[in-house]
Amino acid sequence: MSELEQIDGFSEEDQLDLQAELQEGFAEIEEKYAVDTQQGFENVLVIDNIPVIDEAKKQKLVDRLRQLFAKAGAAIEEENISMPWDDKAATNKGFIFLTYPDAPQAENALRLLDGAAFGKNTLYVNRFGDIERYANLPVGEGELPTGWREKSYVEKDHLRSWLGDSAGRDQYVTFRDQDVSVWWNGRNGVSEPVKIDGKPLKNSKWGELYLQWSPLGTYLSSLHRVGVALWSGPKLDGPIGVNVLRFTHPGVRLIQFSPCENYLVTWSEEPLDNFENHPNAALRETFGPEDEGNQYVIWDVKAQRVLRTFPADKPVQGEDGPQQMAWPAFKWSPDDAYVARCNVGVGIAVYELPGMGLLDKKSIKIDGVQNFEWCPMSEKDFVARKTGKGKEGSFVFWTPEAPNQPARVSIMSIPSRNILRAKNLFNVTDCKFYWQNQGDFLCVKVDRHARKAKSKKATFCNLELFRVREKDYPVEVIEFKDYVPQFAWEPQGNRFAIVSSNDPNYGQGIPGVVVKYNIDFYQLDQKKGDFIAIKHLDGKIANTLVWSPRGRHIALATIGSSQKFDVEFWDLDFVVDERRETSEPGANVTMLASGEHYGITDIAWDPSGRYLATSASSWRQTPEPGFCVWDFKGQQLVHQPQDRFKQFLWRPRPPTLLSKDQIKKVRKELKEYSRSFDEDDAAEENRGSAEKLAQRQRDISEWNAWRSRNNKKLDDERAKSGKEKKVVKQDVETEEKVEEIVEELLDETEEVVVG
């Protein structure tokens, strides 16, 4: 019996009321004097899902965990790791405590380590105080805490649904004024808008700054003043967090995807502020005090999570003043395993993904380093990497001349840091790297100056050609007395093209002066193993090279000129009669056609290599904004001048899923497939002709109806005015009689009159 029940004079109802009041008072006292479980433990984290091991493996587990924490950028001393132990089972309990020196370091570790992979396990990190707070939530049975709500499962759309188009068409985006539209590129330049529920796909939210496709075409990124949005799925729209991913970065101006679309870099000219007390919850949750002052942000795309932020480089002082900011500042390995950044003159920092910890906990020190580029991977390399038999990745870098030391180009393997090949260079002004897209060849374009020249301005050029797949990386040198502003490898091939110029007006920027260029094509001689010239074009005005993504075809364009806007289409394997095909190098290099696009500023092939788009963007002060679409033979299919036109972007395609054997089989049976394609083409032409005929019939019917109505009105007015007593109505559909006079020569007699 309770104490209340022992008090005389209290009824049972009064006793219950008094008991309720006492309990309420006790609750108020407990709340008033409650101990803040977070206070004093702000620097303590709890990591769950640690492997359960026995005493013999304890030290090894601690060492491996410390290695993981260090790589992720959250290093901690061993004495600050506490591992609870189950004495009965003689094993650990599957979680540990980490004690950092202060709260900011703990918050940084929480952001870096939560969700990190540790072998087959995924680590889950929480604040020590949060565990007690969540455990004591006043939640009734079957109820959710206040403010919580169950989220129903939302199925994501197929992110690559556009690849299933039955006609195999490609998509492109046009950006005009504030209007952004997505189109299908059909046969013979017949384009139609991508339709969703019968309506053209448009979105006014996309047109704030500019647009950019991801490398494999999965996402359409739109830049806004508050951040970046990635749109995906068949509608390129949908619920936030499902088909639309948002990345908050105020003032963002530039973005860059990793090759496999797993990561994203954003850059803003405005350094990040301290958003700890900012009213915007998204900013408070995204960035911490340690991010203040940084301008680069690296994101995990699928998790929408910040991996790390970086400050901007200090501007480098050159001979002509401060140099422009290098973009991209971060360069990805082709398999998304690493991202690296060049600290000019100091070294290269290589970070492992997704932890963003430095490789081997330190940067690669390279005195004087100026630039670097990762080596691409072929399909064979990717397959070998998945089976664990692939070779290491690599990148090429160069260092300038120093006292008693020549300039040098080196290829380094990663992660071993071994130098695979090095080449000394002399009288170097600058070096630029051009990898063939399969990683078979590397061209180092070395801009050089005269040995005793006072100015180090480049006046001629060397091409250092590395054959990467061969033993010891043999190098061939091709010297040019002229300056070479453009170089381009043939995709999937062993040919390259260059633009050179010895015109004294080159680089002067004199208005009204047309600069002359030379175009040269080179091909690898399989017998000798050297590159040989196969075609020389002299006195051209084209200054831009664009290879078809399938190789063989190349477009030459004149961009940046105020007088010339030519576009030329070339085929390097043109054969009229296969029976007379010659093996002489360069014999089949043929210009298919030439055209002009007034005011051209950009040029790009579609992923299939069948169509080429040229555009004139109002962002570059072109006299006639708009775009044109050409086929690979040089026939202009579309010409669309549009006021305030800004962008034309083909949608990229991911690599084919067909094996090489399957591709060979398709090519072998191409004649059988071509029959169905011919039938589709004929049906398309008939459909177009039928549509035109139907349209003409509709126009004639409308004209006849309009004429009948007006004739009737005219007759009514004449009848009312009394000017005519009799109205003769003429039949508008009277057949027109056409008389044809035929002259026939029956006989011809020639008379000769003799005088």
Side-chain angles (χ1 to χ4, degrees), residues 86-103:
D86 188 344
D87 295 331
K88 293 182 179 180
T91 61
N92 63 328
K93 294 186 177 182
F95 62 91
I96 60 173
F97 297 98
L98 303 183
T99 304
Y100 283 90
D102 51 40

Side-chain angles (χ1 to χ4, degrees), residues 320-332:
D320 301 328
Q323 295 182 0
Q324 293 184 350
M325 182 191 73
W327 183 262
F330 293 86
K331 298 180 181 180
W332 308 88

Side-chain angles (χ1 to χ4, degrees), residues 14 82 146 229 234 337 379 382 464 540 625 634 683 694:
D14 292 338
S82 176
T146 305
E379 296 177 6
F382 277 105
E464 308 279 340
K540 307 294 288 186

Side-chain angles (χ1 to χ4, degrees), residues 257-270:
F257 285 91
S258 65
C260 300
E261 302 182 339
N262 293 317
Y263 308 102
L264 176 72
V265 177
T266 58
W267 173 83
S268 172
E269 191 175 5
E270 306 167 6

Side-chain angles (χ1 to χ4, degrees), residues 639-658:
H639 178 56
Q640 285 283 347
Q642 295 182 358
D643 190 26
R644 297 186 298 275
F645 181 82
K646 298 175 181 177
Q647 275 186 291
F648 181 104
L649 300 173
W650 291 107
R651 187 171 194 173
R653 282 177 173 261
T656 178
L657 298 177
L658 298 177

Side-chain angles (χ1 to χ4, degrees), residues 265-286:
V265 177
T266 58
W267 173 83
S268 172
E269 191 175 5
E270 306 167 6
L272 293 170
D273 293 330
N274 188 341
F275 300 111
E276 193 172 1
N277 299 317
H278 199 277
N280 189 326
L283 291 174
R284 293 197 310 269
E285 296 172 1
T286 303

